[in-house]
Amino acid sequence: MREKAIVFEVNERQHCTTIPSHRTLLEVLRALGYVDVKCGCEKGDCGACAVLVDGEAIDSCLTLAWTVEGRAITTVAGLGNSNNPHPLQAAFARNGAIQCGFCTPGVIIASESLLRKTPNPSDDEIRFALSGNLCRCTGYTKIFEAVREMVLTRSGGVLR
Amino acid sequence: MFAEFDLEMPNSLDEAVLALARSDGIETLTLAGGSSLMVDIRARRVVPERLISLARINELRRIEILGPRITIGSRTTVSDILRSNQVAEHGAALAASAEVFAGQMVRNVATVAGNIACGSPAADLVPPLLSLDADVVLTNASGFRTVPLADYFTGFKQDVRRPDELITAISWDVPGAKCANRFYKLARRKGDAITVTGVAVTLGAANGVCTKARVALGAVAPIVMRARAAEAMLEGSTLTVELIEEASLKAAEECQPIDDIRASADYRRHAVHMLTRRLVAGAWADLHLATEVS
């Protein structure tokens, strides 16, 4: 085990912090106070710990912190907050896509990762993008409808 | 929570193989996407003292066609495969397996080489690659060697890779128009599920005769295996419903499945029979369609 100072950005804020070589990004983010990133299965099954690294969703539980040195991380709180919600966050609230809320940060991150690459996804593309997020409350239907509604609103109601 | 280990972050392939060469008796493992290795470390199935991360080695993340060969760099991710028109065209079964691979976040990091190196008989990308007669390129500080994927695995989670070697590429001959390549993964769900049985089939044909048959079976033996007796029954013949049925039964005979939490051995054998029959018939139909079009 070694320690070194790692510089990276979280939600547009620079961090320089000393991290041991075996520490995961999930552990580091939560220790820094980004507790909107949830610790679920720690196996890459549930997606609760998903964050964007340079715009692409990854499971932070499977990622060693040293490997994201110099990169830009976005957690769900970096997308928006209750005063100024991201359109996805607003759509989730409107559609009742949140029950206990534990999976929600990861689901929104996975959705945002999809929409950055595919602004007007098909229904199948939405389902495929969310295949790595487990939700035990909603049965997924309302989550799917929330993402779909946001896509429809943004594309002016054009269905693919 | 984790066992403690050191981490090296080489900036190039040369640096990486040098780091592997000087292990000095330290238990060293290569880390690519981490979707398998990190889980194994957390479960203490492996206890490395040092990891060598390939995260910075972008030269290993590429898909290219040179003459008759398509080559995929070892750090190419499952998402990269899904975005590749070249793989869609020249490795239809591989593209199909990427479509049923884990979930988005894992697909964004999991690599082709990692899926091979983890040695799981349920590794989704391996049956397609085996059906394409893919080769694995192994590189160390003094050079590289090429091993057919068919000879790569020696037993459950065991392979021919030496501790100082890194998988650097996977390549195969671009299949021609007279070749069809199909894959099906049987699992509880399409996404985020471990394979119960995976089957990949490649067929080649000339003048109405099957000139080449590959039947690769996943999750029904200690390693991803080829159903060689079934392949031999198909090669050299004009495929009929009866012959396809016989060969599929032979494939089910050849496999060595086990009972586990996901399925019984009997069910897996039945799945091999049904999936082989369906995929061979489908691939044979693909070939005839290609003939009619051309």
Side-chain angles (χ1 to χ4, degrees):
Chain A
M1 190 265 275
R2 276 190 294 155
E3 290 194 337
K4 72 174 175 183
I6 300 288
V7 177
F8 57 100
E9 191 184 292
V10 185
N11 299 341
E12 299 183 346
R13 194 178 146 202
Q14 289 287 325
H15 287 273
C16 179
T17 177
T18 299
I19 303 172
S21 46
H22 59 276
R23 201 71 87 216
T24 64
L25 178 59
L26 171 64
E27 292 165 331
V28 170
L29 287 172
R30 287 190 61 88
L32 287 171
Y34 296 99
V35 291
D36 52 317
V37 185
K38 302 303 178 195
C39 177
C41 69
E42 290 190 286
K43 284 174 168 180
D45 286 334
C46 78
C49 68
V51 297
L52 300 176
V53 176
D54 293 337
E56 188 168 69
I58 56 118
D59 286 325
S60 61
C61 73
L62 299 177
T63 306
L64 290 174
W66 282 17
T67 65
V68 299
E69 184 170 12
R71 304 183 72 179
I73 290 142
T74 309
T75 74
V76 74
L79 294 178
N81 55 47
S82 47
N83 292 325
N84 186 21
H86 182 279
L88 270 173
Q89 292 168 325
F92 270 60
R94 225 175 10 251
N95 284 273
I98 304 164
Q99 287 186 32
C100 89
F102 193 84
C103 74
T104 311
V107 175
I108 289 181
I109 287 292
S111 306
E112 175 67 6
S113 180
L114 164 72
L115 297 176
R116 287 189 186 187
K117 284 184 216 130
T118 313
N120 191 16
S122 66
D123 289 359
D124 282 349
E125 284 169 325
I126 296 172
R127 289 199 173 88
F128 187 54
L130 297 180
S131 54
N133 295 88
L134 299 183
C135 172
R136 300 289 81 172
C137 307
T138 65
Y140 302 101
T141 301
K142 287 178 185 299
I143 289 175
F144 174 73
E145 285 170 354
V147 179
R148 196 159 181 267
E149 184 207 85
M150 190 236 160
V151 170
L152 283 174
T153 309
R154 209 172 53 178
S155 66
V158 184
L159 262 173
R160 261 182 70 195
Chain B
M1 175 183 336
F2 258 149
E4 293 185 357
F5 48 80
D6 195 3
L7 177 64
E8 290 194 28
M9 301 277 304
N11 290 303
S12 66
L13 175 57
D14 288 347
E15 280 183 31
V17 290
L18 281 174
L20 271 174
R22 47 178 174 72
S23 291
D24 303 326
I26 299 167
E27 180 66 24
T28 300
L29 292 173
T30 309
L31 173 69
S35 56
S36 176
L37 182 55
M38 293 294 283
V39 178
D40 282 344
I41 292 173
R42 191 171 270 119
R44 297 185 187 264
R45 284 189 286 267
V46 291
V47 188
E49 294 167 89
R50 184 176 69 146
L51 296 183
I52 296 175
S53 164
L54 307 182
R56 290 183 182 156
I57 309 179
N58 290 321
E59 64 196 283
L60 294 178
R61 193 172 176 182
R62 67 197 161 88
I63 297 171
E64 63 188 12
I65 295 178
L66 280 174
R69 296 290 280 184
I70 178 165
T71 300
I72 297 186
S74 55
R75 207 171 71 75
T76 302
T77 67
V78 178
S79 291
D80 292 336
I81 285 174
L82 286 168
R83 285 188 286 262
S84 166
N85 295 328
Q86 293 165 319
V87 173
E89 192 181 344
H90 303 302
L94 183 63
S97 67
E99 278 176 23
V100 287
F101 192 103
Q104 184 197 173
M105 281 69 75
V106 169
R107 289 191 294 268
N108 284 343
V109 298
T111 65
V112 176
N115 202 236
I116 294 171
C118 75
S120 166
D124 284 326
L125 307 183
V126 177
L129 289 168
L130 200 54
S131 80
L132 289 160
D133 285 337
D135 289 329
V136 179
V137 180
L138 295 167
T139 304
N140 67 10
S142 48
F144 71 89
R145 63 181 174 129
T146 302
V147 180
L149 183 58
D151 300 334
Y152 183 82
F153 298 107
T154 54
F156 179 69
K157 300 214 170 195
Q158 292 191 320
D159 58 39
V160 299
R161 187 168 59 95
R162 298 175 192 129
D164 69 337
E165 285 179 321
L166 192 63
I167 298 177
T168 44
I170 292 90
S171 67
W172 66 91
D173 279 337
V174 169
K178 296 289 190 287
C179 214
N181 184 219
R182 285 196 172 212
F183 172 78
Y184 191 84
K185 167 177 171 173
L186 179 68
R188 289 294 290 271
R189 303 174 298 274
K190 270 191 183 172
D192 225 4
I194 295 177
T195 298
V196 170
T197 298
V199 180
V201 165
T202 300
L203 293 184
N207 305 319
V209 173
C210 175
T211 51
K212 176 181 180 174
R214 293 288 180 271
V215 178
L217 309 176
V220 290
I223 61 174
V224 179
M225 60 170 280
R226 273 176 54 189
R228 288 176 192 265
E231 293 171 0
M233 290 173 75
L234 297 169
E235 284 185 353
S237 297
T238 298
L239 303 196
T240 60
V241 170
E242 293 76 23
L243 181 57
I244 293 172
E245 169 66 7
E246 270 179 61
S248 306
L249 275 169
K250 179 59 78 177
E253 239 173 68
E254 284 180 82
C255 68
Q256 310 141 45
I258 56 165
D259 293 316
D260 71 7
I261 191 171
R262 279 174 286 280
S264 67
D266 285 348
Y267 180 71
R268 286 189 160 98
R269 228 179 255 288
H270 177 67
V272 167
H273 175 198
M274 292 297 130
L275 292 178
T276 304
R277 188 168 82 185
R278 190 189 302 171
L279 292 167
V280 171
W284 188 244
D286 289 346
L287 286 169
H288 284 67
L289 200 62
T291 312
E292 280 163 30
V293 170
S294 63

